[in-house]
C-alpha cells in the first residue's frame, strides 16, 4: 500500500484515482472542480483543499492535467509541488503535454534530487475506467521500476520509452500516425462511395489487403463494418476531434522544434483544425469523414 496524491481528477484522472483506491492504495486528491472532487470522494479518495495539501505526505504524486502550462504551474515555483514534496517522493505526470515542457520540468526535478516520469496514456475514458490504459513512460530505469506497480493498477500495457520526455514523444508520434491514417481511410471510403463501390465490400477487401490499419479494422469511420466503432452511434466519442487536434498540434510543435519534416502531420493538423472550427470538436475524430465529404 502506497500513499498516493492524485492531482487533476477530471474525465481521465477521476477513474484512474478510483482504480488506485480499488488496488488498496491510500489516495489523497485535489481538483479545483467541486464536482470532480466530490465524485472522487464518493469513490474513496480523500479530498484536499489544494494540490499541496494532497501531496505533502505522499510517496507518489500523480498529475493528470489539461496542458503543459498547468503542469508547469502545479510543479514549479515557490508554491509548487517540487517545493513541498517529501524527500524521496516520486512524481508521475500522466497528462499529454509538449515534449519541451516535460523535459524542462523533469530536469528541474532532477536538479532538486527528485525523481520524475512523464507517463501519458492512450485508451481514453473507457480505458481509464476499466484500468486498461497503455502508459508510455519517459524517465530513469530506477523511477520506472518504482512506478510500474502503481501504473499496473491503472493500465495493462506499461512501456518504458527511454529518458525524460520520451513518453510524450511516443504519444504524439503514435497519434500523428493515427490522425493521418484516419483521414486516409475516410478519403478512401468517400471515394469508394462516389465510384459506386459498397462500403462493406471495400472493408472486406482492404481489411485483408495492404490498406489494413487500426483506423479501418477497429475504428472504421463508416457505420456497419465494425459495429463497435463510433460511426455506429452518430460519432459520439470515443476520442474527440478536439483531443486529436491537441495532439496533432503538439506533434507539429515538436517537429518544428526538432527540425523534422512532417508534411502529412501538418496537413492532418490543418484538416482537424477546420473540422473542429466548423462544429466537429465534440464529435469523435472519425467523424472527419463527414466533413471531408462536405456533409458537415
Ligand atoms: P479534463 O478536463 O476532464 O480533466 C482535467 C482536470 O484537471 C479538470 O478536472 C480540471 O479541473 C483539472 N485541473 C485544471 N487545473 C488544475 C490544477 N491547477 N490543479 C489541479 N487540477 C487542475 O481532461 P481529461 O480528459 O481528464 O484529460 C486530462 C489529460 O489526459 C489531458 O492532458 C488529455 O490530453 C489527456 N488524455 C485524455 C484522453 C481522453 O480521452 N479524455 C485520452 C488520453 C489522454
Amino acid at each position: 500500500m502506497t500513499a498516493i496524491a492524485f492531482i487533476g481528477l477530471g474525465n481521465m484522472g477521476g477513474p484512474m484515482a478510483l482504480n488506485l483506491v480499488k488496488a488498496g492504495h491510500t489516495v489523497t486528491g485535489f481538483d479545483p472542480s467541486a464536482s470532480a472532487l466530490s465524485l472522487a470522494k464518493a469513490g474513496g479518495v480523500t479530498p484536499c483543499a489544494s494540490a499541496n495539501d494532497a501531496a505533502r505526505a505522499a510517496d507518489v504524486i500523480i498529475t493528470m492535467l489539461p496542458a503543459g502550462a498547468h503542469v508547469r504551474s502545479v510543479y514549479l515555483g515557490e508554491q509548487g509541488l517540487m517545493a513541498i514534496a517529501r524527500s524521496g517522493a516520486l512524481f508521475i505526470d500522466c497528462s499529454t503535454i509538449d515534449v519541451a515542457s516535460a523535459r524542462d520540468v523533469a530536469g528541474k526535478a532532477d536538479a532538486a534530487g527528485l525523481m520524475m516520469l512523464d507517463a501519458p496514456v492512450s485508451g481514453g475514458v473507457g480505458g481509464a475506467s476499466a484500468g486498461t490504459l497503455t502508459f508510455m513512460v519517459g524517465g530513469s530505469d530506477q523511477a520506472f521500476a518504482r512506478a510500474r506497480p502503481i501504473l499496473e493498477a491503472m493500465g495493462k500495457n506499461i512501456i518504458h520509452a527511454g529518458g525524460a520526455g520520451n513518453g510524450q514523444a511516443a504519444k504524439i508520434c503514435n497519434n500523428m500516425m493515427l490522425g493521418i491514417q484516419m483521414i486516409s481511410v475516410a478519403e478512401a471510403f468517400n471515394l469508394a462511395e462516389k465510384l459506386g463501390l459498397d462500403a462493406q465490400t471495400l472493408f472486406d477487401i482492404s481489411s485483408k489487403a495492404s490498406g489494413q490499419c487500426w483506423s479501418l479494422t477497429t475504428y472504421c469511420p463508416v457505420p456497419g463494418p465494425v459495429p463497435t466503432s463510433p460511426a455506429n452511434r452518430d460519432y459520439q466519442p470515443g476520442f474527440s476531434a478536439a483531443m486529436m487536434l491537441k495532439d496533432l498540434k503538439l506533434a507539429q510543435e515538436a517537429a518544428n522544434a526538432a527540425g523534422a519534416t512532417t508534411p502529412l502531420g501538418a496537413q492532418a493538423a490543418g484538416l482537424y483544425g477546420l473540422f473542429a472550427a466548423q462544429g466537429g470538436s465534440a464529435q469523435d475524430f472519425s467523424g472527419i469523414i463527414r466533413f471531408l465529404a462536405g456533409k458537415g
Side-chain angles (χ1 to χ4, degrees):
M1 188 184 82
T2 304
I4 300 173
F6 208 113
I7 316 297
L9 298 161
N11 292 323
M12 295 292 290
M16 289 165 72
L18 298 201
N19 281 329
L20 292 170
V21 173
K22 283 183 205 146
H25 299 295
T26 305
V27 184
T28 48
F30 171 69
D31 193 297
S33 151
S35 60
L37 203 54
S38 70
L39 265 178
K41 183 182 176 190
V45 173
T46 304
C48 296
S50 69
N52 288 359
D53 283 354
R56 205 165 269 116
D59 296 317
V60 174
I61 298 161
I62 301 176
T63 45
M64 192 49 161
L65 299 165
H70 304 81
V71 170
R72 285 176 179 278
S73 83
V74 165
Y75 279 98
L76 304 178
E78 279 175 25
Q79 301 302 315
L81 292 173
M82 274 181 210
I84 61 92
R86 63 198 279 181
S87 106
L90 168 66
F91 296 125
I92 308 175
D93 179 38
C94 295
S95 328
T96 301
I97 66 167
D98 57 292
V99 175
S101 289
R103 291 192 171 144
D104 181 47
V105 176
K108 291 191 163 99
D110 194 45
L114 294 156
M115 280 198 268
M116 178 158 194
L117 295 167
D118 51 291
V121 303
S122 74
V125 176
S129 301
T132 56
L133 292 169
T134 292
F135 285 89
M136 296 153 261
V137 188
S140 71
D141 291 344
Q142 196 191 355
F144 180 71
R146 224 177 119 193
R148 183 192 272 282
I150 308 286
L151 300 180
E152 279 171 348
M154 301 181 283
K156 70 167 193 244
N157 298 309
I158 321 294
I159 301 157
H160 193 190
N166 277 23
Q168 300 295 350
K171 165 91 186 174
I172 56 169
C173 288
N174 180 75
N175 281 14
M176 188 175 79
M177 284 187 237
L178 175 62
I180 293 168
Q181 282 170 355
M182 181 54 78
I183 291 168
S184 77
V185 173
E187 283 191 355
F189 275 101
N190 285 342
L191 174 61
E193 187 183 355
K194 294 271 187 209
L195 297 176
L197 173 63
D198 171 59
Q200 183 66 51
T201 307
L202 176 62
F203 178 85
D204 292 344
I205 293 168
S206 288
S207 61
K208 303 277 185 300
S210 48
Q212 188 272 125
C213 65
W214 188 91
S215 293
L216 175 70
T217 57
T218 303
Y219 221 75
C220 189
V222 293
V226 177
T228 49
S229 80
N232 299 283
R233 47 174 204 270
D234 201 26
Y235 302 95
Q236 291 305 304
F239 185 59
S240 70
M243 289 278 177
M244 175 53 81
L245 178 59
K246 172 189 170 181
D247 292 357
L248 288 169
K249 283 181 173 170
L250 288 175
Q252 285 311 291
E253 206 178 310
N256 289 338
T261 310
T262 54
L264 287 180
Q267 191 80 355
L271 287 170
Y272 272 101
L274 287 172
F275 176 42
Q278 293 187 16
S281 51
Q283 288 179 35
D284 187 79
F285 80 107
S286 60
I288 199 161
I289 190 168
R290 293 194 294 201
F291 167 77
L292 292 169
K295 294 177 187 165

